[in-house]
Amino acid sequence: MRIRSTAKGDGRLDYNAISQLEHLRIENTVKANRKLLEELFENSSDIVIREFQIEHGPKALICFVDGMVTSSMVDDALQALMVFEGGAFTVDAICEQTLPVGQTLQVQFYSELLVNVLSGDCGLFVEGGKTAVCLGLRGGERRSITEPETETVVRGPREGFNERLRTNTALVRSRIKSPRLKMKPFVIGTETNTNVVVTYMAGIANPKLVEEVERRLNAIEIDGILESGYIEELIQDQVMSPFPQIQNTERPDTVAAAVLEGRVAILVDGTPFALVAPFGFWQWLHASEDYYERFIVATLTRMLRMVCLFLALMAPAIYIAVSTYHPEMIPTNLLLSIAASRESIPFPAVVEALIMELSFEALREAGVRLPKTVGQAVSILGALVVGQAAVQAGIVSAAMVIVVSITGIASFTLPRYNAAIAIRLLRFPLMLLASIFGLLGIILGVVAIVSHLSKITSFGIPYVAPASPISASDWKDVLFRAPWSKMKRRPAYLYPQDRTRQK
């Protein structure tokens, strides 16, 4: 957007967003700058605007957000200016000779100044100077580095991202100590002006992929970005697909491994969840711990996850189809047991399944929303009590409770929470198809899902690659994990500039 007029009829500034101030220059007098800042931050008690006198020199002014700067460093900067012992009073000289600050940035326009000040820097104005100085004094109280709660591991790093962008970039940089690791800054959101960093490995990541990520970020026009989920939805390829096309993670080691493969990561200020693209179906089954354990253990674990993925998606539907339309497929003794347990049940199998699945989903949601001390207990006890009571009341059969329990347990084995949600959503239409068409309905549903998976892409990369299109060399790290000595090349379907990972 562009501002039509920089002043109202009474001379006051008229603006709706920082981007509208990109042509408003810094004034050369402290009085004018103070007046403008006070108008901008009217009724803002957290903004500190203080005017002071440089010893034997001109007036100066600082502006910062209380709680977002390190107070001791602000005091040191003021002390250095107030006891200034002669010399030049230009902005350049003060930055180079006086200020005890490692990071300084001179800006000419208010749009640049406000973005930095509202991000935690301290703005400095000097009488007679046509530029302001942004002092890198960011601090304040933030959550410390802790273990990620959504991606816990038995073996592996215990550090997780937090809500501070520079802490997160440092965690990635500490793992990849290479000048080829690039971190390009962006500011998104006309009101929140959220700092975003795109990180990738120059010389490894496909330049077209990097350009496409940057293009999509630059195309975002929204008033605010409060979490990386906003960006994920705005830049993904197919919005209407239930399948996640961008990975989110709290783990710095996961981001480091991804960019070393040739992927691109997006770090967003204010959230511990980073985004990684492209992201495909087979990454659903991969956990960071797979690469820290021996390859045999990792391979068996992935096979188990694949079986659990099948059960989480189709176990209730198969039970409904077999018990309703194809009882001849069930062994006689088991069939008699199921028939006996369902003798007094007034509902068909599909209604039983819907009752139990909806109850299980409600208990799972309640467990997430309740405090940790009671949430887990409510989920476990609620499932046991509800299931036992439903069986005794004759509402559902014991066999259905077992099937739903197995389904729920299987869904918890998927490392990617957003992928597990997609499976939970697709379970219900498969159950309805099974209740209408039997096994034929399940087959039709699976064909539709596979067809959809084969059509969607993630930043132009086929979602089911390397299965389609087939890339035999990349199957060393799909359903099973080959030893590190055999995985010498990066995935070909990512089209990296340098495919050699190990010589």
Side-chain angles (χ1 to χ4, degrees):
M1 295 188 295
R2 296 291 184 271
I3 193 167
R4 292 190 297 272
S5 173
T6 58
K8 295 182 179 179
D10 58 0
R12 293 174 62 83
L13 191 68
D14 181 17
Y15 81 106
N16 291 318
I18 288 178
S19 60
Q20 295 176 316
L21 302 176
E22 61 183 9
H23 298 301
L24 185 62
R25 289 185 172 274
I26 303 294
E27 301 288 345
N28 61 358
T29 64
V30 167
K31 181 178 179 181
N33 286 314
R34 177 166 189 162
K35 180 181 178 182
L36 199 148
L37 288 171
E38 289 175 347
E39 290 181 7
L40 286 170
F41 296 114
E42 186 179 9
N43 299 325
S44 301
S45 61
D46 60 328
I47 305 297
V48 178
I49 302 173
R50 180 184 172 185
E51 188 175 331
F52 63 97
Q53 182 81 36
I54 296 178
E55 187 174 11
H56 306 300
K59 292 182 179 180
L61 176 75
I62 60 168
C63 175
F64 60 89
V65 181
D66 189 19
M68 293 183 69
V69 299
T70 304
S71 299
S72 60
M73 295 181 68
V74 174
D75 296 340
D76 291 342
L78 285 175
Q79 183 180 10
L81 289 170
M82 289 181 175
V83 296
F84 190 48
E85 298 179 356
F89 293 106
T90 64
V91 173
D92 290 336
I94 289 175
C95 289
E96 295 173 3
Q97 303 173 13
T98 306
L99 289 172
V101 180
Q103 295 180 337
T104 60
L105 173 67
Q106 295 188 38
V107 296
Q108 296 181 331
F109 299 95
Y110 265 95
S111 59
E112 300 173 271
L113 173 75
L114 295 181
V115 166
N116 285 280
V117 168
L118 294 175
S119 296
D121 287 347
C122 178
L124 171 66
F125 303 83
V126 179
E127 185 77 24
K130 294 184 178 181
T131 61
V133 184
C134 297
L135 310 180
L137 306 179
R138 300 184 186 189
E141 296 295 328
R142 293 291 181 94
R143 186 169 64 92
S144 60
I145 297 173
T146 57
E147 183 177 0
E149 295 186 5
T150 59
E151 298 173 87
T152 56
V153 295
V154 176
R155 178 177 181 178
R158 301 304 172 93
E159 290 181 326
F161 290 133
N162 65 12
E163 287 73 17
R164 188 186 291 276
L165 179 62
R166 280 303 162 215
T167 300
N168 297 341
T169 57
L171 287 172
V172 178
R173 178 72 71 177
S174 67
R175 285 163 172 77
I176 305 178
K177 304 175 182 67
S178 169
R180 294 209 293 174
L181 178 64
K182 306 301 180 183
M183 296 190 175
K184 298 188 68 171
F186 292 81
V187 177
I188 304 177
T190 56
E191 299 297 340
T192 59
N193 291 283
T194 305
N195 292 308
V196 176
V197 166
V198 173
T199 180
Y200 60 94
M201 290 295 292
I204 295 179
N206 190 325
K208 292 183 179 179
L209 172 61
V210 177
E211 291 174 6
E212 180 62 18
V213 172
E214 294 176 358
R215 184 192 67 79
R216 296 189 189 188
L217 289 176
N218 286 323
I220 295 176
E221 293 184 3
I222 192 172
D223 59 347
I225 298 292
L226 302 180
E227 213 277 335
S228 58
Y230 285 54
I231 294 177
E232 179 181 355
E233 189 169 333
L234 288 167
I235 67 174
Q236 65 183 357
D237 291 42
Q238 283 84 19
V239 178
M240 301 306 294
S241 175
F243 301 111
Q245 296 138 54
I246 300 176
Q247 178 184 349
N248 63 72
T249 179
E250 288 186 88
R251 299 189 62 87
D253 57 317
T254 299
V255 171
V259 298
L260 286 172
E261 276 193 338
R263 305 180 196 270
V264 176
I266 303 172
L267 306 177
V268 183
D269 194 20
T271 175
F273 288 91
L275 304 178
V276 177
F279 179 65
F281 170 76
W282 301 108
Q283 277 73 56
W284 292 13
L285 309 174
H286 297 178
S288 59
E289 198 171 10
D290 294 350
Y291 302 95
Y292 308 142
E293 291 286 357
R294 290 173 297 123
F295 75 97
I296 297 176
V297 176
T299 298
L300 291 175
T301 305
R302 286 186 183 178
M303 294 294 184
L304 174 63
R305 292 183 194 133
M306 193 66 190
V307 173
C308 290
L309 173 62
F310 175 84
L311 292 174
L313 179 63
M314 290 191 287
I318 291 175
Y319 176 80
I320 292 170
V322 171
S323 62
T324 305
Y325 293 101
H326 314 284
E328 68 278 1
M329 297 179 64
I330 306 175
T332 303
N333 292 337
L334 179 58
L335 180 60
L336 292 174
S337 176
I338 293 175
S341 66
R342 297 199 69 252
E343 184 177 4
S344 61
I345 305 301
F347 305 114
V350 64
V351 176
E352 282 187 83
L354 288 174
I355 290 173
M356 289 306 300
E357 284 290 348
L358 291 174
S359 300
F360 190 85
E361 293 295 332
L363 286 168
R364 175 155 36 188
E365 187 67 15
V368 172
R369 304 303 164 202
L370 286 170
K372 290 182 180 180
T373 52
V374 296
Q376 189 174 6
V378 167
S379 298
I380 297 173
L381 293 177
L384 291 173
V385 171
V386 170
Q388 183 65 24
V391 172
Q392 291 181 350
I395 298 175
V396 297
S397 63
M400 181 58 73
V401 174
I402 294 172
V403 170
V404 172
S405 300
I406 292 174
T407 303
I409 294 171
S411 66
F412 288 136
T413 63
L414 294 179
R416 307 300 173 197
Y417 178 72
N418 51 0
I421 292 176
I423 295 299
R424 286 158 56 186
L425 290 174
L426 293 172
R427 189 185 302 152
F428 291 95
L430 282 179
M431 289 162 53
L432 294 176
L433 286 171
S435 68
I436 299 172
F437 302 107
L439 289 178
L440 177 61
I442 296 177
I443 294 171
L444 292 175
V446 171
V447 168
I449 293 171
V450 173
S451 176
H452 177 69
L453 285 171
S454 65
K455 289 180 181 178
I456 62 177
T457 59
S458 176
F459 285 85
I461 304 298
Y463 198 67
V464 292
S468 177
I470 295 177
S471 176
S473 62
D474 293 335
W475 275 86
K476 296 177 181 179
D477 190 23
V478 179
L479 276 178
F480 61 91
R481 181 176 83 77
W484 273 114
S485 59
K486 303 296 183 182
M487 294 195 296
K488 296 185 178 182
R489 298 176 70 81
R490 297 184 175 89
Y493 64 87
L494 294 175
Y495 302 102
Q497 287 183 289
D498 181 8
R499 282 206 62 198
T500 303
R501 182 182 1 221
Q502 181 182 172
K503 295 182 180 179

